[in-house]
Amino acid sequence: MTDKTKQDRVVIFDTTLRDGEQSPGATMTHEEKLEIAEMLDEMGVDIIEAGFPIASEGDFEAVTAIAEQAQNAVICGLARAQIKDIDRCWEAVKHAKRPRIHTFIGTSPLHRAIPNLNMDEMAERIHDTVTHARNLCDNVQWSPMDATRTEHDYLCRVVEIAIKAGATTINIPDTVGYTAPRESADLIRMLVEKVPGADEVTFATHCHNDLGMATANALAAVEAGARQIECTINGLGERAGNTALEEVVMALKVRNDIMPYRTGIDTTKIMNISRRVAAVSGFPVQFNKAIVGKNAFAHESGIHQDGMLKNAETFEIMRPEDIGLAATNLVMGKHSGRAALRAKLKDLGYDLADNQLNDVFVRFKALADRKKEVYDDDLIALMTDSASEAAGDQLQVKFLRVICGTEAPQSADLILTIDGVDHQVTAQGDGPVDATFNAIKKLFPHDARLALFQVHAVTEGTDAQATVSVRLEEDGKIVTGQSSDTDTVVASAKAYVSALNNLIWRRAKTKPEDELKSVS
Ligand code: KIV
Ligand code: ZN
């Protein structure tokens, strides 16, 4: 057994909030970004890439707030190879205890053609921008975007320039997920061996998953000398996504015998953050996803179940507890008491104060009355139901009845409480959800665009709860709402109204006037 403290440390750089959030449709709200950043910091991520400050006012504000809040992690912002980008990035990250500027430019022939720079002009731009960044911040990362399709001689030349200009980390992105493990390793090895000054910087690997090889490519790069892995929770990211944090971290843990590197990640926090990222991004995790998929630890076939009962190691290479999955899926029901609920929620990663427990207990009892067996996933849905924070909300669904079936049009009869006053309306639509949304919109007219409507069953069975996520966009600002109920239309109505409450709150934050005057 090797002494782990003597093993080389691989730094985990999480870019869920930048490259992950860049994925079309994965937009998160300001508050959600702060929450995810806090979870990343607590789980031991070394560097959090919090956003792209010049991209929008919202990104700038989020990076600034995350920089102010972070306790341990380095907070990094992205900047193109332009002075104005780098200055804006610094304005946001400088609030962190440990800031980093990450600047990049596309160096492959295809990418060089876009700013129309020849090789010498681009080299000069790299020198000037990295020098500028280093004059602002002593922690500078530089990336040659599309490095895996850049001519090797030119890549060596620009990496050397960036190191001489003061970059402390050199990241080698496989921007389009084109490389393969052996090539990924060879590229890092070549840079480490050939580039003067390479021994003074950390090499990073940043892989996209277009050919499904991102994790393998990242690990191969580590074996060749990279000591920083760039990754996202659940592999969130554009197209087929990025290297998944949970995959590389667990691979290094489980196969430490052949990959003797350590990370600083508390792996028991993986499951919780995976669920939260799935919920706030609106990107559910595929059932058979490695490590965090619903089936990753499920053993259904007879042979597997028999083996598992005799010795779990027959079919399990890691324990569910290692990633923070409760060891059992103990079913709760209407006779379960407060203490059992508290213990169960603690297993699931929720440590509640007494008043929070009281509130959840009431909702748990209501659910258990309607649903015989309450599973872990039902409880998680209960905990992530944004519609349940109803106390201070201005809009609340009081009553809903829909008429649906084969005869169109479907209709919804709704009572919405607006600022304590009940308003009733009936509306028709193309299906019960459409009719319900039309009814809500009649009572609370708005121009926000429905950017996402997503439904998924929390558990199996026809009495399963449906979790509904709704995302609205107004003037470039995004708000979300999520709710779960055994009645899909009720969950939809509550999720929509929760998103509207968040919209009202957001408007009030940007414009102090009373926005509710639009209510009829
Ligand atoms: O994939 C990529 O090349 C990137 C860079 C900005 C590092 O995300
Ligand atoms: Zn990327």
Side-chain angles (χ1 to χ4, degrees):
M1 192 73 171
T2 52
D3 178 355
K4 281 207 177 173
T5 57
K6 297 213 176 90
Q7 289 180 354
D8 264 15
R9 177 81 148 70
V10 169
V11 165
I12 298 296
F13 175 109
D14 181 278
T15 182
T16 305
L17 298 172
R18 198 279 297 169
D19 219 351
E21 212 244 357
Q22 216 164 291
S23 177
T27 318
M28 299 174 204
T29 65
H30 182 83
E31 294 69 31
E32 288 163 351
K33 287 183 189 172
L34 255 68
E35 183 192 344
I36 299 297
E38 191 176 6
M39 293 175 93
L40 291 168
D41 201 6
E42 280 173 4
M43 82 188 290
V45 161
D46 299 283
I47 301 138
I48 298 172
E49 188 163 50
F52 193 178
I54 197 131
S56 69
E57 197 52 37
D59 252 50
F60 178 81
E61 283 170 14
V63 178
T64 305
I66 291 168
E68 282 165 355
Q69 140 188 301
Q71 294 301 313
N72 304 306
V74 170
I75 301 302
C76 175
L78 185 69
R80 289 168 301 183
Q82 293 184 18
I83 301 299
K84 66 174 189 313
D85 274 42
I86 294 170
D87 288 344
R88 189 75 173 146
C89 178
W90 175 240
E91 278 307 304
V93 296
K94 71 176 182 195
H95 302 278
K97 289 183 186 143
R98 301 163 66 204
R100 173 181 290 191
I101 296 174
H102 176 192
T103 177
F104 75 100
I105 193 162
T107 52
S108 66
L110 282 166
H111 283 270
R112 287 199 303 267
I114 295 170
N116 198 15
L117 295 176
N118 65 33
M119 285 179 164
D120 293 337
E121 288 162 344
M122 180 164 285
E124 196 181 327
R125 170 85 72 88
I126 293 164
H127 170 268
D128 293 350
T129 49
V130 175
T131 303
H132 184 73
R134 186 56 205 263
N135 285 338
L136 296 170
C137 180
D138 61 7
N139 189 337
V140 173
Q141 170 165 330
W142 180 73
S143 296
M145 187 166 73
D146 207 13
T148 52
R149 293 191 300 169
T150 300
E151 304 90 325
H152 286 188
D153 284 352
Y154 189 59
L155 189 61
C156 288
R157 177 180 165 197
V158 287
V159 167
E160 182 180 348
I161 289 171
I163 294 175
K164 286 209 172 110
T168 44
T169 298
I170 300 291
N171 176 39
I172 302 301
D174 181 29
T175 306
V176 289
Y178 180 69
T179 198
R182 196 185 319 141
E183 189 183 61
S184 170
D186 288 347
L187 189 60
I188 296 287
R189 204 171 290 115
M190 180 213 45
L191 291 167
V192 170
E193 280 167 9
K194 276 200 176 165
V195 176
D199 53 337
E200 286 155 32
V201 296
T202 301
F203 276 89
T205 175
H206 175 112
C207 302
H208 282 264
N209 202 30
D210 298 64
L211 292 172
M213 290 191 280
T215 296
N217 290 338
L219 293 171
V222 167
E223 293 193 272
R227 288 294 175 269
Q228 173 177 304
I229 299 180
E230 305 210 354
C231 47
T232 58
I233 302 292
N234 299 339
L236 190 69
E238 279 186 278
R239 308 183 309 278
N242 289 57
T243 302
L245 179 147
E246 62 278 8
E247 292 177 14
V248 283
V249 167
M250 289 311 288
L252 292 177
K253 185 177 166 104
V254 174
R255 295 312 312 273
N256 194 260
D257 54 333
I258 55 164
M259 293 180 285
Y261 309 98
R262 65 196 167 88
T263 72
I265 299 295
D266 175 355
T267 62
T268 64
K269 299 207 183 317
I270 285 179
M271 206 54 224
N272 243 354
I273 191 163
S274 161
R275 287 184 185 124
R276 201 59 199 129
V277 167
V280 302
S281 65
F283 274 57
V285 174
Q286 83 195 45
F287 280 17
N288 59 343
K289 161 87 179 60
I291 319 293
V292 290
K294 216 180 173 116
N295 288 356
F297 291 91
H299 301 272
E300 280 215 11
S301 89
I303 300 175
H304 285 211
Q305 283 186 347
D306 185 50
M308 284 293 295
L309 289 173
K310 291 185 176 126
N311 178 356
E313 281 180 29
T314 47
F315 289 101
E316 233 168 48
I317 56 167
M318 54 200 149
R319 294 170 312 156
E321 306 88 279
D322 293 343
I323 59 154
L325 250 186
T328 62
N329 197 1
L330 188 74
V331 180
M332 308 275 292
K334 64 176 174 190
H335 300 299
S336 307
R338 210 174 285 258
L341 180 66
R342 184 195 285 278
K344 184 69 190 172
L345 288 173
K346 192 151 194 248
D347 272 353
L348 294 174
Y350 301 98
D351 214 348
L352 300 188
D354 286 349
N355 57 341
Q356 288 171 305
L357 182 72
N358 290 345
D359 167 57
V360 177
F361 190 66
V362 172
R363 293 190 288 123
F364 160 71
K365 281 287 178 190
L367 178 63
D369 272 343
R370 277 180 293 145
K371 199 172 179 292
K372 249 196 356 255
E373 292 169 325
V374 178
Y375 295 95
D376 290 0
D377 286 338
D378 287 315
L379 293 175
I380 292 162
L382 212 63
M383 295 303 299
T384 51
D385 192 326
S386 62
S388 68
E389 299 150 8
D393 288 346
Q394 300 189 21
L395 310 180
Q396 285 181 18
V397 178
K398 183 168 185 187
F399 172 85
L400 173 65
R401 183 173 46 212
V402 292
I403 298 175
C404 63
T406 52
E407 300 304 307
Q410 287 73 24
S411 71
D413 209 357
L414 173 92
I415 300 179
L416 194 64
T417 309
I418 303 173
D419 264 350
V421 180
D422 290 351
H423 298 256
Q424 181 159 16
V425 77
T426 300
Q428 296 186 330
D430 199 359
V433 174
D434 192 44
T436 303
F437 278 35
N438 288 342
I440 293 168
K441 206 167 172 186
K442 263 190 177 176
L443 291 176
F444 186 73
H446 61 84
D447 292 326
R449 185 179 72 84
L450 181 68
L452 173 90
F453 171 72
Q454 185 179 274
V455 185
H456 82 264
V458 174
T459 57
E460 282 88 45
T462 49
D463 69 342
Q465 292 195 89
T467 293
V468 177
S469 305
V470 168
R471 181 177 300 138
L472 301 174
E473 194 199 324
E474 186 183 74
D475 299 333
K477 298 262 193 269
I478 305 278
V479 290
T480 56
Q482 194 177 67
S483 189
S484 305
D485 199 283
T486 47
D487 185 319
T488 309
V489 188
V490 171
S492 305
K494 288 188 172 170
Y496 186 29
V497 164
S498 168
L500 288 173
N501 280 316
N502 289 335
L503 187 70
I504 294 168
W505 181 81
R506 181 154 280 286
R507 285 174 181 171
K509 247 186 86 176
T510 34
K511 279 188 272 153
E513 316 93 89
D514 177 11
E515 289 288 342
L516 273 179
K517 57 182 175 273
S518 59
V519 174
S520 55

